[in-house]
């Protein structure tokens, strides 16, 4: 048979002591929980806010202002970069244009010099001008004493001018002197031994640098038939220039 347990007075006292101890412990625990309750509530509110993610109006305004500021800065940076790129492009285009202009100018100068050289080196003989119809002989005038000329450039030009006047060949002292100084510097024995005519065996010679075929075609009667004779050279060259350019005065470069 099962054993019957008898609760004595001692047992009752021990139980009462245990109940009392349990009550104290519960009160102590409850008091601690009451003191910590506000903090726990606060933490719960914060956690709830974090969980919902709903920002305040002030936070929204601050974020909007920050976004607008960033957008403005990005736009300003983009405009500045665009301007720098445009400036660089314009500078590069200007440099290219300047180089092209310099190259064009150099090419034009070279072409002009080449054309001048060609005119100087390719004097070709042309057909002699048609003879004018003979004019009625003027009445004979008393013969004057022969005019004398100095044996120098001034004298050669003046003698040539007198012959040109008689033969109706236009030209002036200035026109002859200017072209003589450019072509030979006043040296009646000057010879061009480097141009195309020289390579062809007919170099330009004399005060006005005439080739032999041109001299023969435009030689003026009454002057020596010698290419390097100063007066004959000047007069033949003036006769050639009159036929081709209207007058030696119209010649300002290689002819």
């Amino acid at each position: 048979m099962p054993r019957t347990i008898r609760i004595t007075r001692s047992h009752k006292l021990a139980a009462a002591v245990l109940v009392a101890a349990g009550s104290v412990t519960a009160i102590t625990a409850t008091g601690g929980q009451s003191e910590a309750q506000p903090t726990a509530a606060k933490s719960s509110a914060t956690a709830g806010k974090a969980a919902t993610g709903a920002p305040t109006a002030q936070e929204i305004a601050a974020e909007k202002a920050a976004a607008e500021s960033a957008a403005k800065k990005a736009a300003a940076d983009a405009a500045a970069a665009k301007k720098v790129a445009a400036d660089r492009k314009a500078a590069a285009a200007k440099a290219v244009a300047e180089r092209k202009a310099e190259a064009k100018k150099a090419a034009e100068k070279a072409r002009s010099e080449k054309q001048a050289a060609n005119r100087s080196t390719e004097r070709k003989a042309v057909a002699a001008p048609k003879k004018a119809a003979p004019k009625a002989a003027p009445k004979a005038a008393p013969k004057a004493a022969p005019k004398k000329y100095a044996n120098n450039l001034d004298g050669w030009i003046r003698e040539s001018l007198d012959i040109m006047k008689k033969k109706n060949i236009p030209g002036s002292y200035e026109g002859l002197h200017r072209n003589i100084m450019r072509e030979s510097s006043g040296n009646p024995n000057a010879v061009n031994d480097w141009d195309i005519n020289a390579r062809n065996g007919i170099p330009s010679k004399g005060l006005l640098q005439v080739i032999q075929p041109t001299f023969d075609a435009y030689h003026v009667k009454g002057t020596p038939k010698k290419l390097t004779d100063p007066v004959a050279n000047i007069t033949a060259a003036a006769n050639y220039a009159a036929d081709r350019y209207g007058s030696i005065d119209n010649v300002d470069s290689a002819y």
Side-chain angles (χ1 to χ4, degrees), residues 44-90:
S44 297
T46 303
K49 179 182 177 181
T52 59
T56 66
Q58 186 176 4
E59 290 173 338
I60 292 173
E63 290 177 357
K64 183 177 180 182
E68 290 176 350
S69 177
K72 289 181 180 180
K73 184 176 185 304
D77 291 344
K82 185 175 181 181
K83 184 177 184 304
V84 170
D87 291 344
R88 289 178 179 174
K89 184 177 180 180

Side-chain angles (χ1 to χ4, degrees), residues 11-220:
H11 290 152
K12 291 180 179 179
L13 288 173
V17 171
L18 291 174
V19 170
S23 298
V24 172
T25 303
I27 291 170
T28 303
T30 303
Q33 183 177 3
S34 297
E35 291 175 357
Q37 186 175 1
T39 303
K42 184 176 180 181
S43 298
S44 297
T46 303
K49 179 182 177 181
T52 59
T56 66
Q58 186 176 4
E59 290 173 338
I60 292 173
E63 290 177 357
K64 183 177 180 182
E68 290 176 350
S69 177
K72 289 181 180 180
K73 184 176 185 304
D77 291 344
K82 185 175 181 181
K83 184 177 184 304
V84 170
D87 291 344
R88 289 178 179 174
K89 184 177 180 180
K94 183 179 179 181
V96 171
E98 289 176 350
R99 287 196 296 271
K100 287 183 177 179
E102 290 176 359
K104 182 178 179 182
K105 185 177 180 180
E108 289 176 351
K109 182 179 179 182
R111 183 167 57 253
S112 177
E113 292 175 350
K114 183 178 180 180
Q115 289 175 349
N118 288 339
R119 286 196 300 271
S120 175
T121 59
E122 294 180 359
R123 298 186 183 93
K124 297 180 179 179
V126 298
K130 295 180 180 180
K131 293 182 179 180
K135 295 182 179 181
K139 293 181 180 180
K143 290 185 178 181
K147 188 176 180 179
K148 293 184 178 181
Y149 303 91
N151 188 27
N152 55 27
L153 182 58
D154 179 75
W156 301 329
I157 293 175
R158 294 186 185 282
E159 184 176 355
S160 294
L161 284 171
D162 286 343
I163 297 172
M164 289 162 59
K165 184 177 181 181
K166 292 177 182 179
K167 302 294 183 178
N168 296 316
I169 301 172
S172 67
Y173 186 101
E174 187 277 334
L176 291 173
H177 187 272
R178 170 167 43 84
N179 283 284
I180 288 171
M181 295 309 294
R182 186 191 65 253
E183 293 290 336
S184 67
S185 299
N187 178 10
N189 297 313
V191 178
N192 185 326
D193 57 2
W194 58 268
D195 65 5
I196 185 64
N197 294 314
R199 292 196 294 272
N200 290 336
I202 48 171
S204 304
K205 296 181 180 181
L207 292 172
L208 282 169
Q209 291 291 281
V210 183
I211 60 175
Q212 190 67 51
T214 301
F215 177 84
D216 294 339
Y218 288 91
H219 173 259
V220 177

